[in-house]
Amino acid sequence: MEVNKLKIVFATETGNSEDLANRTAEAAESKGFTVEVSNVEDVTLDDLQGESALVFIGSTMGEGEPPESAWSFHDAISEAEGTPLSSLNIAVVALGDTSYGDLFCAFGKKVEKELLRLGAKKIIDRIDCDVDFEGKYAGWAKQLFATITPA
Ligand SMILES: Cc1cc2nc3c(=O)[nH]c(=O)nc-3n(C[C@H](O)[C@H](O)[C@H](O)COP(=O)(O)O)c2cc1C
């Protein structure tokens, strides 16, 4: 799949998702992609309507909740209707902690579910990462860059 521009959005509380977003951006730039990294607090549904490829990297906080910075995005995607994101292709990395049981990676799962409901398509499958996320992230990044190429 050819990608003109890769939009990378992170939703973080303690920095892990932001680190992975920046690392993904560096890897993408070195492969020739045009990249834009954004904090989820600065991203609206309208912004996403203008994008064709989105990497979303976000953690879960509280009891299965979004990071504080992501509530507005959470509400916007939960409340929207129709298929405004039918031109968007997505790849989601959910960070969490398996000790939260049924609430493991709840926010990342919710984001993917809502974006798909709004018409987005998956580039590759979501990964749900426990606290030691390095190995899983490396495999995901490899698969991502085997699937997309710079336009
Ligand atoms: C106060 C607090 C609440 C958390 N709640 C959850 C949760 O409900 N589900 C989950 O899977 N992980 C939970 N986690 C784990 C974080 O999602 C995990 O540490 C993640 O790597 C943090 O990423 P971030 O630095 O990008 O915010 C929680 C962590 C903290 C500190």
Side-chain angles (χ1 to χ4, degrees):
M1 181 191 160
E2 285 203 354
V3 165
N4 273 318
K5 182 189 133 198
L6 192 60
K7 174 92 164 169
I8 302 178
V9 174
F10 64 84
T12 192
E13 191 94 24
T14 62
N16 294 332
S17 301
E18 184 172 6
D19 282 352
L20 290 187
N22 287 330
R23 285 164 55 186
T24 307
E26 276 171 31
E29 276 163 1
S30 77
K31 291 173 194 302
F33 290 93
T34 301
V35 181
E36 184 182 41
V37 180
S38 302
N39 188 322
V40 69
E41 68 190 1
D42 300 321
V43 176
T44 65
L45 202 55
D46 277 358
D47 294 333
L48 294 188
Q49 270 187 276
E51 302 290 341
S52 62
L54 169 73
V55 165
F56 185 94
I57 304 180
S59 68
T60 296
M61 281 289 142
E63 298 291 324
E65 289 163 7
E68 205 55 45
S69 56
W71 272 111
S72 144
F73 182 78
H74 167 276
D75 293 350
I77 60 174
S78 303
E79 287 159 18
E81 286 175 6
T83 53
L85 302 182
S86 52
S87 303
L88 186 69
N89 298 286
I90 61 168
V92 177
V93 174
L95 295 193
D97 180 336
T98 48
S99 69
Y100 284 86
D102 285 352
L103 300 176
F104 174 53
C105 287
F107 178 57
K109 290 174 182 171
K110 164 96 173 167
V111 168
E112 187 185 65
K113 184 175 147 221
E114 297 296 359
L115 296 181
L116 294 174
R117 181 180 64 79
L118 296 171
K121 317 273 180 307
K122 279 190 212 181
I123 301 172
I124 56 172
D125 285 340
R126 187 190 74 239
I127 50 165
D128 298 331
C129 298
D130 204 351
V131 284
D132 52 346
F133 47 75
E134 287 296 341
K136 211 162 186 181
Y137 167 74
W140 174 89
K142 196 170 170 193
Q143 201 191 346
L144 177 70
F145 293 120
T147 308
I148 59 173
T149 48

